[in-house]
Amino acid sequence: MNVQPKPHQDGQHLESLAINATLVRLPHLTDYLPHPQSHPTPLESNHFYHPFDGFYLSHSDIIIRRTIYDLSANSLSSSAYPRAGPRKEIFYQPQNVRAAIVTCGGLCPGLNTVIRELVVGLWEQYGVREIFGIKAGYRGFYSMDPVKLDVKMVHNWHKRGGTVLETSRGGFDLHKIVNAIEEHGYNQVYIIGGDGTLRGAVKIFNEIRRRKLYVGVAAIPKTVDNDVGIIDRSFGFQTAVEKAQQAISAAHVEAESAPNGIGLVKLMGRTTGHIALNATLSSRDVDCCLIPENSFYLEGKGGLFEFLDDRLAQNGHAVVVVAEGAGQDMIPRTDAASQKDESGNPVFLDVGVWLKGELKRWWERDHKGELFTVKYIDPTYMIRAVTANATDNLYCTLLAHSAIHGVMAGYTGFVAGPIKGNYAYIPMDEIAETKNQVDTKDHNWAWVRSVTTQPDFERT
Ligand SMILES: Nc1ncnc2c1ncn2[C@@H]1O[C@H](COP(=O)(O)OP(=O)(O)O)[C@@H](O)[C@H]1O
Ligand SMILES: O=P(O)(O)OC[C@H]1O[C@](O)(COP(=O)(O)O)[C@@H](O)[C@@H]1O
Ligand SMILES: [Mg+2]
């Protein structure tokens, strides 16, 4: 990679630079179908709409993934993805489209908005009339009747939490699912789900391609945990963080109102601490944030008890936020085998209940006779079983419309999502392989440390 000119390695006097961008190739129906026919988009013949110059995107419109560089590095490189948006030529005749929409995995604010916008976008922009909701997740493809959807039916779904289509874990049977897609004649499949769903979606797409079916598959990443990689964040995450803050505020009030009061809040986050981290940064009431990516310990120098001792001595109260996946290795397990849910996700022991017990034990041992209270709040589903906030509703809308334009353009096996604020199409397998975890060596975590001044839990 070359940077021009390169006299000052620190980039102080740099006037221009070149970034080596590798364009990621998106699967397309033309890859495996002999002669798919393209047609002008119906947007062209819409009397009420006159596209401005540059409205239609093409192969030359891309989004670069990396935006942060160290100019002293030898090479500046990034991957680049096709930009999401309408194309002038599409690979479907709208009157022949039979679209299926499915929601899988746990709830997430905004699911109904995505469904609604898929229906509205397909119906209003492209004139599609055959749109079906698959009930109860992947298993619904082969075990339940689909629900016919139309614009009237979905008109106020964005104001409701949950998923009207219902969802479930488990029940992934590749052949039954793809057989059902063939039998029902679906030629567009929109899959809304998290990391597990995406791994399933990759298999569905590969099987569809193996069978050479004229079926476009798009996924829209969903999870409050925000554990999906490459994209900026998953929808519903911000709403969940907002709700989490209410729990933290309550814990703070309780802690402040008691001598030596500790407010303890457990938040969702199976293997990632994004909700805990973001709620901590935004609430400012938190003294210590415990996440799965950063092991912690209780006793001794630099441990949680010593830190809380200091905080209680200084302020008379403290607030601790713990992500549900944190500290699992410290909680005594009675059964040898760890439990799994129907999708194969680990079922955790309750770190909040355990920590509350440990805090009480510690105080009783070291401060016998002094007043002390731990108020434990576990908002669990309250942060995700809610309507999406304005930002998430807007985000869900753009995701759905991006997915529709991509599928109509013949792209398949892709995910629609924002990269540094711009909407892109990303190959599904790349997303399914990339996990978004909190990097405790980067600035996000450093901000938590500087806001809370909590210990790093690195034993010296
Ligand atoms: N590796 C996998 N291959 C195929 N299907 C999977 C895989 N992992 C999960 N699934 C299916 O995806 C769906 C949702 O997965 P789950 O982990 O519960 O939620 P999420 O997609 O939100 O992470 C379930 O129906 C599950 O059976
Ligand atoms: O809905 P369940 O099965 O009780 O699972 C709860 C889990 O779902 C999550 O909300 C994440 O769900 P997804 O992986 O389905 O997005 C976790 O934060 C939580 O551990
Ligand atoms: Mg998941």
Side-chain angles (χ1 to χ4, degrees):
M1 172 51 326
N2 50 16
V3 177
Q4 311 125 5
K6 208 180 177 185
H8 300 280
Q9 286 283 306
D10 62 0
Q12 226 179 349
H13 303 289
L14 207 66
E15 280 165 10
S16 71
L17 60 87
I19 294 165
N20 196 10
T22 307
L23 187 57
V24 172
R25 216 187 153 276
L26 214 57
H28 195 274
L29 292 174
T30 50
D31 295 348
Y32 65 88
L33 293 172
H35 306 293
Q37 268 252 267
S38 70
H39 314 272
T41 174
L43 294 172
E44 277 291 276
S45 44
N46 185 331
H47 300 305
F48 301 109
Y49 195 73
H50 303 99
F52 52 84
D53 282 350
F55 173 76
Y56 295 114
L57 302 175
S58 72
H59 297 300
S60 57
D61 293 290
I62 58 156
I63 286 163
I64 299 203
R65 179 168 168 195
R66 264 186 76 192
T67 48
I68 296 177
Y69 291 92
D70 173 358
L71 288 181
S72 65
N74 285 332
S75 102
L76 308 181
S77 60
S78 173
S79 19
Y81 300 92
R83 196 173 157 202
R87 266 57 178 174
K88 203 163 188 172
E89 289 291 310
I90 61 169
F91 281 79
Y92 290 88
Q93 288 192 304
Q95 69 273 22
N96 297 335
V97 169
R98 281 175 70 83
I101 304 170
V102 66
T103 53
C104 311
L107 289 188
C108 185
L111 278 164
N112 283 325
T113 311
V114 177
I115 302 166
R116 177 194 193 271
E117 289 308 317
L118 285 170
V119 174
V120 171
L122 283 164
W123 190 285
E124 301 285 8
Q125 293 195 60
Y126 287 96
V128 174
R129 294 293 177 266
E130 299 287 304
I131 308 168
F132 299 88
I134 307 301
K135 299 276 286 179
Y138 277 137
R139 69 185 72 240
F141 272 107
Y142 57 84
S143 63
M144 288 171 218
D145 289 332
V147 191
K148 190 119 194 294
L149 302 172
D150 61 52
V151 270
K152 278 208 176 122
M153 194 171 171
V154 302
H155 82 281
N156 65 357
W157 284 15
H158 59 300
K159 295 175 186 163
R160 298 163 65 173
T163 162
V164 179
L165 296 181
E166 300 175 349
T167 184
S168 69
R169 299 196 189 274
F172 184 87
D173 186 321
L174 180 62
H175 291 278
K176 284 189 184 171
I177 292 169
V178 180
N179 289 347
I181 290 172
E182 271 200 271
E183 279 156 22
H184 283 92
Y186 301 135
N187 49 17
Q188 298 190 354
V189 179
Y190 297 90
I191 300 172
I192 310 164
D195 56 337
T197 306
L198 291 168
R199 287 191 286 275
V202 170
K203 293 178 186 169
I204 292 173
F205 162 63
N206 285 335
E207 180 61 15
I208 282 175
R209 186 165 53 177
R210 194 189 66 77
R211 295 190 195 184
K212 295 195 185 329
L213 304 179
Y214 204 119
V215 181
V217 187
I220 296 167
K222 159 262 34 150
T223 165
V224 280
D225 286 1
N226 197 28
D227 54 10
V228 176
I230 304 178
I231 58 168
D232 295 348
R233 63 173 200 283
S234 46
F235 73 77
F237 171 67
Q238 286 198 334
T239 306
V241 169
E242 219 168 274
K243 291 285 158 195
Q245 275 194 72
Q246 293 174 2
I248 295 173
S249 293
H252 187 230
V253 169
E254 289 286 345
E256 263 191 326
S257 309
N260 295 317
I262 290 193
L264 174 62
V265 179
K266 183 184 77 171
L267 294 172
M268 280 191 171
R270 207 185 257 130
T271 54
T272 60
H274 294 288
I275 297 178
L277 183 159
N278 281 268
T280 294
L281 277 179
S282 48
S283 102
R284 316 300 301 266
D285 287 336
V286 179
D287 290 272
C288 189
C289 172
L290 304 169
I291 59 169
E293 295 90 334
N294 193 48
S295 327
F296 66 97
Y297 57 93
L298 304 178
E299 304 275 0
K301 201 165 159 31
L304 183 66
F305 292 160
E306 185 193 60
F307 172 73
L308 290 176
D309 235 344
D310 275 6
R311 281 293 152 103
L312 291 178
Q314 263 172 44
N315 304 334
H317 69 276
V319 174
V320 177
V321 164
V322 60
E324 62 180 332
Q328 290 295 314
D329 51 335
M330 289 191 278
I331 311 173
R333 230 179 221 282
T334 42
D335 53 338
S338 52
Q339 286 182 9
K340 303 255 180 200
D341 70 11
E342 275 192 283
S343 294
N345 298 305
V347 175
F348 287 141
L349 297 167
D350 193 326
V351 64
V353 170
W354 169 77
L355 194 51
K356 178 179 176 180
E358 291 298 304
L359 287 165
K360 284 185 157 178
R361 189 184 52 74
W362 156 64
W363 193 265
E364 185 68 12
R365 186 192 68 199
D366 291 7
H367 299 273
K368 204 169 174 50
E370 290 177 54
L371 281 174
F372 179 69
T373 309
V374 187
K375 293 288 191 275
Y376 173 43
I377 299 181
D378 178 2
T380 57
Y381 301 109
M382 290 175 75
I383 67 166
R384 68 172 207 193
V386 293
T387 316
N389 68 12
T391 313
D392 274 324
N393 255 335
L394 185 156
Y395 177 23
C396 290
T397 303
L398 299 188
L399 281 173
H401 288 251
S402 297
I404 295 171
H405 291 311
V407 171
M408 282 291 178
Y411 290 122
T412 181
F414 73 91
V415 162
I419 296 181
K420 310 293 181 290
N422 295 300
Y423 288 76
Y425 297 137
I426 306 149
M428 235 176 224
D429 51 356
E430 209 180 313
I431 289 266
E433 284 159 15
T434 319
K435 192 173 173 89
N436 180 31
Q437 287 202 286
V438 174
D439 181 355
T440 52
K441 299 274 177 279
D442 93 348
H443 290 272
N444 243 353
W445 186 245
W447 282 326
V448 171
R449 302 267 342 277
S450 59
V451 163
T452 59
T453 60
Q454 69 184 61
D456 58 13
F457 297 112
E458 280 180 20
R459 287 184 198 267
T460 46

